[in-house]
Amino acid sequence: MKTPTTPALYDEAAPSWARTEAVLLSDYTARPFILDAVTPLKGARVLDLGCGEGYVSRQFAKQAPARLLSIDISAGMIDLAQAAEEASPQGIEYQVGSATELELNEEFDQIVAVFLFNYLKCEEMASVLKNVHRHLAPGGSFLFTVPHPSFPFLNRPASPPFFFETNGLDYYSARDHQLEGKIWRRDGVHVPVRCVHKPMEEYFKALEEAGFKGAPRVTELSVTEEHLEMDPAFFGPLRGLPLHVAFEVTR
Ligand SMILES: C[S@@+](CC[C@H](N)C(=O)[O-])C[C@H]1O[C@@H](n2cnc3c(N)ncnc32)[C@H](O)[C@@H]1O
């Protein structure tokens, strides 16, 4: 069976992504970290690449940035984001577009890409990183999260709350291969996700080639004791496993 394109995948799954509070596994294990790690956003110019239906953007907007532009390739996701903005205006501008073709006549103090690069081939990620570098104001910060590159190869069963199919590939041979997966919500609904696999070194190489010369700050994210206390049945299967990685760089 032919796999859908990324915009088609997200247009179709958009209603299951729409949420006003934490419900997806990564709403607990990754997005709170992002909200803590961004530079103070009050008065800042912020760009959210691969913003989806706006869950993270809406939380950024609460910090009163001077400008918040949020871009996604899926018209279905942007329609939902726009509907939420119209229902409860926060001053977020949404656009349908690809992060690989970013041509904006403005610069930003903070750019984020929350689980965007797992949809892009290595070469596409390299061009997005160059675009990001070009659109960052001097001293500006870029923060992104991706699935932990070792996660798909940990021999976990294809079961909740998160997995990718490896199709017999290994950590090295899977480079640039698209692995399909699922991530669950705590209410039992799952959404399709995919991971164009990149070994860890790929991120460092691409950041340096894009012009980010300093070492990135890297954080490996997993379930915490608080998660396990809150809902042991949901989070328990992932105890002790590396789920996501956050990279932070400054221009
Ligand atoms: C896993 S979702 C994350 C959405 C959002 N960042 C969040 O954290 O809720 C990945 C998003 O990346 C978008 N995406 C994939 N490729 C893209 C591209 N080339 N340019 C912009 N968005 C893209 C998808 O449409 C999808 O909405």
Side-chain angles (χ1 to χ4, degrees):
M1 201 176 77
K2 202 166 174 295
T3 53
T5 63
T6 294
L9 183 81
Y10 274 95
D11 288 349
E12 164 92 23
S16 308
W17 277 91
R19 61 215 194 274
T20 52
E21 57 187 31
V23 58
L24 280 164
L25 171 71
S26 47
D27 293 339
Y28 297 92
T29 52
R31 292 182 183 86
F33 173 86
I34 291 151
L35 291 170
D36 279 351
V38 283
T39 52
L41 299 183
K42 191 171 167 49
R45 298 158 295 175
V46 182
L47 175 63
D48 183 0
L49 290 175
C51 64
E53 54 74 53
Y55 179 80
V56 174
S57 294
R58 288 191 290 275
Q59 300 192 51
F60 287 162
K62 291 180 190 160
Q63 292 190 40
R67 164 106 170 111
L68 177 47
L69 175 61
S70 301
I71 296 178
D72 199 280
I73 203 168
S74 157
M77 294 291 254
I78 290 293
D79 283 350
L80 282 178
Q82 194 59 50
E85 174 66 19
E86 276 157 28
S88 184
Q90 292 181 287
I92 309 170
E93 180 180 337
Y94 289 105
Q95 286 180 12
V96 177
S98 177
T100 56
E101 286 151 31
L102 211 56
E103 281 301 338
L104 303 167
N105 277 328
E106 56 185 315
E107 53 184 25
F108 297 88
D109 306 300
Q110 176 74 64
I111 303 182
V112 297
V114 182
F115 298 113
L116 166 67
F117 290 142
N118 39 305
Y119 293 85
L120 305 182
K121 295 270 188 192
C122 294
E123 223 173 85
E124 293 172 315
M125 177 176 82
S127 71
V128 174
L129 288 173
K130 286 178 188 145
N131 290 341
V132 166
H133 192 268
R134 216 159 23 86
H135 286 84
L136 259 188
S141 161
F142 177 48
L143 169 62
F144 67 93
T145 51
V146 288
H148 196 291
S150 63
F151 180 78
F153 307 100
L154 295 174
N155 280 330
R156 275 200 73 250
S159 62
F162 182 32
F163 77 91
F164 289 111
E165 300 281 2
T166 53
N167 308 322
L169 296 166
D170 62 37
Y171 185 87
Y172 296 100
S173 60
R175 182 185 179 277
D176 238 3
H177 282 257
Q178 183 170 297
L179 313 178
E180 303 296 329
K182 287 189 181 131
I183 186 167
W184 267 259
R185 305 176 2 162
R186 279 181 72 203
D187 59 8
V189 174
H190 61 76
V191 297
V193 285
R194 62 180 37 150
C195 178
V196 178
H197 174 64
K198 299 167 191 74
M200 189 64 102
E201 65 189 19
E202 194 71 37
Y203 296 103
F204 291 86
K205 190 167 70 88
L207 280 166
E208 194 180 1
E209 284 174 8
F212 293 103
K213 298 301 178 201
R217 182 165 166 232
V218 175
T219 310
E220 296 175 282
L221 300 164
S222 187
V223 298
T224 62
E225 286 307 314
E226 290 76 39
H227 298 136
L228 292 165
E229 265 169 40
M230 183 199 313
D231 191 342
F234 183 70
F235 294 106
L238 298 177
R239 177 196 282 268
L241 301 182
L243 304 184
H244 325 290
V245 194
F247 290 83
E248 298 165 75
V249 283
T250 305
R251 184 174 165 182

